[in-house]
Amino acid sequence: MILKNPIDQVTVYNHWRQVEGSEKFSYRGDIINPLCEMKDLQWHEAELENTDLTNLYNISSDDWKDAGICTPDFKVSTSAKNIIPTGNEIHLDINKKIEILKTGVPIFDTKLFIVADSIDGPFTIIEGNKRAVALCLLNLIQNLKVFLGISSSMSGYVWSRHSYED
């Protein structure tokens, strides 16, 4: 991971609100509130390196495992291998994003929101998981611009728990 610039939390959350829309963003308290309690959380603009893919995980949301996407682990590269053309809503939404990306004119933001306990990871995507899997499948995830939040408390964060199981 290449750190670019430190960035304040308000800027990060404002971008997230723009990506998801204010109404949908308001339902993300279960993800955001625990982050706000982490006293040492520092946000950065960063860039994914090719070597980060082996250490990049989807959010620890068990519905992804139930859908067969995060089996046997929650790595984005594993999820990319498990996407099928038919399936539940997660599969279908990722396939829709793949088709949009193939046009070369993505109509959605590709900046991911990632957290880690150190610059070395593991890295957990807390927003942009479906986009990340689609980008991974099309080999477009390398050098992607991201927001990276680093806190020593991240291994205890419920939404990154599966990133620490390997």
Side-chain angles (χ1 to χ4, degrees):
M1 187 76 65
I2 301 170
L3 294 184
K4 297 292 187 175
N5 303 307
I7 191 165
D8 65 276
Q9 187 163 281
V10 172
T11 302
V12 172
Y13 293 156
N14 282 341
H15 188 90
W16 191 342
R17 185 177 286 110
Q18 283 181 317
V19 169
E20 291 215 74
S22 293
E23 186 176 307
K24 193 172 179 185
F25 180 78
S26 67
Y27 290 105
R28 300 297 188 173
D30 58 333
I31 297 172
I32 295 168
N33 292 343
L35 295 173
C36 293
E37 294 173 11
M38 295 179 188
K39 302 298 183 210
D40 66 338
L41 179 63
Q42 296 291 313
W43 286 98
H44 304 270
E45 291 181 304
E47 186 176 307
L48 283 174
E49 296 180 278
N50 293 341
T51 56
D52 295 328
L53 191 55
T54 59
N55 210 13
L56 184 62
Y57 293 81
N58 289 302
I59 193 167
S60 296
S61 182
D62 291 330
D63 59 335
W64 280 60
K65 191 171 203 163
D66 296 343
I69 298 169
C70 291
T71 305
D73 58 44
F74 275 74
K75 289 184 178 186
V76 172
S77 57
T78 298
S79 300
K81 293 174 190 168
N82 290 334
I83 296 301
I84 56 174
T86 58
N88 73 2
E89 182 182 327
I90 299 170
H91 290 273
L92 296 174
D93 195 24
I94 291 169
N95 282 308
K96 227 185 280 183
K97 287 174 176 25
I98 290 167
E99 292 308 311
I100 292 167
L101 285 166
K102 283 181 179 178
T103 68
V105 186
I107 57 172
F108 50 80
D109 190 281
T110 58
K111 194 173 241 182
L112 307 175
F113 298 76
I114 298 174
V115 294
D117 61 0
S118 76
I119 186 63
D120 300 318
F123 305 106
T124 305
I125 302 167
I126 57 170
E127 201 289 316
N129 288 275
K130 295 172 187 172
R131 290 178 281 140
V133 173
L135 290 161
C136 181
L137 267 164
L138 297 173
N139 294 315
L140 298 173
I141 200 162
Q142 298 84 358
N143 306 108
L144 199 66
K145 306 284 188 260
V146 302
F147 289 120
L148 174 64
I150 299 174
S151 168
S152 61
S153 303
M154 210 52 71
S155 63
Y157 179 50
V158 67
W159 297 107
S160 64
R161 69 189 182 279
H162 293 310
S163 303
Y164 294 90
E165 291 177 347
D166 290 346

